[in-house]
Amino acid sequence: MDKQIHYGTVTHWFTDLQRGSVLSDDHGTQRILLEAYSLTPNYRCPQSGDRISFSLHEDGRNRLCAENATLLPPLAENERIEITLSDWNYQQNGGYGIHHVQRNSPIFVLGQFLNDQTRIPENGETLEGRLVKHSNGQWLLVEVDIIEKTPAPLPDIPIPEDIPAPPPPPPRWAKNTTHEAQNTELPAALPANRVLGGTIARWNDEKGYGFIATENRQNVFFHISAFHYMSQRPRTDQKVSFYCNRPVGSEPQRAMRVVLSGHEASLFSERPYDYHEFNLNMRKLLCYGLFGSLYLFGVAYFSPIVAAFYCLTSAAAFWLYRSDKQTAVTQSHKKQGYLGRVPEKKLHQIGLLGGWPGALFARGAYNHKTGKASFIRIFWITVAINIAITYGLLIHYCDNPVALFLKS
């Protein structure tokens, strides 16, 4: 019936009956009969899960039967193969695909092994690369090329012999209407998951969002969480590289990750460009540390008890800021970007209670909460209120029994 080579998986094999069934890659859920006489001499003991090649024929009862079934060779290291990408994780910068013939085990791909670092592969695309065995036993594809789909040739359109005369030009009012309609056309969607360039046209540091002007004069929205840095804030007129999400319905596209021009290598990394645990801002660390230390020494001169309380609340504030910074780094590029973050209200409360010296030290050590103007303004208001309360308690109302107790 069909001498074309097909591929499939042995689903059942009954040794006592010497027959089984095959699930073909080309026939959906239809099972194909596999019998002992249809096996090649070097493949006499099929097992469930075997990947085989075979041709097809129909028996006397019009059933599809396999013929010349043979076991496919296993995957070999260092051979170049093609796979179809099944899934790609943008956060982990990796995914997996299925071999076109051997479909038993997934083959993993990492973004760092893509030869073209200017784009991200999409699900369903064909990838070609060299197969290696990872230390954990999984197959990994390296030196990966994305195989572009060749467009189908356009059919030949016959040219009519008699070409009708062009229509008369529209009246002047119709030209203006056409011109206005062209101006109201929506801009074409940007390619998703490809590296694009542009310039930050607008940036609102108070609200934490802005727009990137692309080369074709389109404005792309981006949030501060997409800016892939820990110690930098976006500024107008900066040259940046970014990639967008796929357009969904009528929602406008947005930049999912943004880096400065020249830092494109970190665009596909989970960690920010300037990531390390202590992201020291030495100037602020020295200023904040000196101010906080002098204040604590001054309080200790008047009341060691109050100074000890300041130290305890400062330790708690330092731990809260550190926890919030680590969560911000790991969650900023996920959909649950604020899940697990310490609320700003709680940070201000611990500072008002007396933990602001530790908060100052943490802000300098981790460069955290140093660029958001609204937070900084409220932070220094709470510092001023706390200092005023301490001054009134230890100096202005020094004859008060509570003040005398704290000084003792």
Side-chain angles (χ1 to χ4, degrees):
M1 171 188 173
D2 185 3
K3 296 303 180 182
Q4 179 184 353
I5 299 299
H6 299 269
Y7 302 98
T9 305
V10 177
T11 54
H12 301 94
W13 179 255
F14 303 100
T15 306
D16 51 344
L17 299 176
Q18 287 295 290
R19 66 171 53 183
S21 62
V22 179
L23 186 62
S24 174
D25 298 343
D26 307 322
H27 294 78
T29 58
Q30 182 179 2
R31 301 300 174 93
I32 297 171
L33 184 63
L34 179 66
E35 297 193 275
Y37 69 83
S38 63
L39 304 175
T40 56
N42 57 350
Y43 182 54
R44 307 305 302 176
C45 299
Q47 295 181 358
S48 297
D50 284 351
R51 289 288 297 174
I52 63 173
S53 63
F54 55 92
S55 56
L56 291 175
H57 75 279
E58 285 187 356
D59 61 3
R61 299 167 59 183
N62 294 327
R63 294 179 301 180
L64 283 178
C65 301
E67 187 178 25
N68 297 324
T70 183
L71 183 66
L72 290 173
L75 295 173
E77 196 166 5
N78 292 321
E79 70 172 326
R80 292 197 69 83
I81 63 169
E82 291 185 0
I83 65 171
T84 300
L85 188 64
S86 301
D87 183 58
W88 186 268
N89 188 310
Y90 298 105
Q91 302 298 330
Q92 302 297 331
N93 192 28
Y96 71 93
I98 302 298
H99 188 259
H100 291 170
V101 177
Q102 280 285 8
R103 300 188 176 185
N104 289 344
S105 58
I107 299 173
F108 294 91
V109 185
L110 298 179
Q112 65 197 67
F113 296 125
L114 294 174
N115 291 332
D116 184 3
Q117 289 289 320
T118 63
R119 61 164 294 191
I120 301 174
E122 299 183 8
N123 295 345
E125 285 191 313
T126 301
L127 307 181
E128 181 187 7
R130 183 169 60 88
L131 197 63
V132 297
K133 197 84 168 182
H134 195 267
S135 57
N136 61 7
Q138 300 288 351
W139 289 109
L140 183 66
L141 205 62
V142 298
E143 302 171 8
V144 183
D145 292 315
I146 303 174
I147 307 300
E148 300 287 350
K149 296 180 180 179
T150 56
L154 295 175
D156 294 333
I157 301 176
I159 301 176
E161 296 180 358
D162 299 328
I163 301 177
R172 186 170 299 176
W173 64 267
K175 286 185 177 179
N176 295 336
T177 305
T178 305
H179 181 69
E180 292 175 1
Q182 291 176 352
N183 290 339
T184 57
E185 288 182 359
L186 295 176
L190 295 170
N193 306 320
R194 293 197 181 187
V195 179
L196 304 171
T199 305
I200 297 179
R202 285 180 287 167
W203 174 251
N204 189 323
D205 200 65
E206 182 75 18
K207 297 182 179 180
Y209 69 83
F211 294 89
I212 301 172
T214 63
E215 296 176 356
N216 57 355
R217 298 182 180 180
Q218 288 184 246
N219 289 329
V220 182
F221 174 86
F222 77 103
H223 189 259
I224 183 60
S225 60
F227 198 64
H228 207 37
Y229 297 91
M230 295 177 62
S231 60
Q232 298 188 47
R233 304 280 290 187
R235 297 194 305 272
T236 306
D237 296 330
Q238 283 182 319
K239 298 288 186 181
V240 294
S241 297
F242 63 97
Y243 68 83
C244 293
N245 61 339
R246 293 186 182 90
V248 180
S250 60
E251 293 185 6
Q253 284 182 289
R254 62 167 57 198
M256 303 304 295
R257 187 168 290 175
V258 182
V259 296
L260 299 178
S261 294
H263 299 169
E264 285 79 7
S266 66
L267 197 60
F268 304 103
S269 174
E270 177 66 20
R271 291 184 173 183
Y273 176 80
D274 52 353
Y275 172 81
H276 45 84
E277 185 175 1
F278 276 97
N279 193 19
L280 296 177
N281 188 324
M282 289 303 299
R283 183 176 62 85
K284 291 184 178 181
L285 180 63
L286 292 176
C287 293
Y288 292 165
L290 181 62
F291 176 67
S293 300
L294 290 176
Y295 180 79
L296 289 177
F297 280 122
V299 171
Y301 174 79
F302 289 97
S303 173
I305 296 177
V306 176
F309 179 77
Y310 267 107
C311 291
L312 290 176
T313 53
S314 293
F318 184 89
W319 182 84
L320 286 176
Y321 274 78
R322 176 180 179 273
S323 176
D324 187 54
K325 180 64 175 181
Q326 290 180 340
T327 306
V329 171
T330 56
Q331 299 285 348
S332 61
H333 302 290
K334 300 181 180 179
K335 292 182 179 180
Q336 303 87 0
Y338 294 96
L339 186 63
R341 295 287 302 274
V342 179
E344 291 184 352
K345 183 178 179 180
K346 182 176 290 187
L347 297 178
H348 291 314
Q349 287 173 347
I350 192 70
L352 184 62
L353 287 175
W356 60 264
L360 279 177
F361 188 77
R363 289 175 63 198
Y366 296 104
N367 201 25
H368 189 44
K369 297 293 185 183
T370 59
K372 190 175 181 181
S374 59
F375 180 89
I376 296 173
R377 183 166 56 250
I378 298 176
F379 175 83
W380 285 112
I381 291 175
T382 60
V383 171
I385 294 174
N386 177 265
I387 292 176
I389 293 174
T390 305
Y391 172 80
L393 191 62
L394 297 182
I395 298 176
H396 190 72
Y397 298 101
C398 57
D399 296 333
N400 187 280
V402 177
L404 293 175
F405 169 76
L406 293 176
K407 289 183 178 181
S408 62

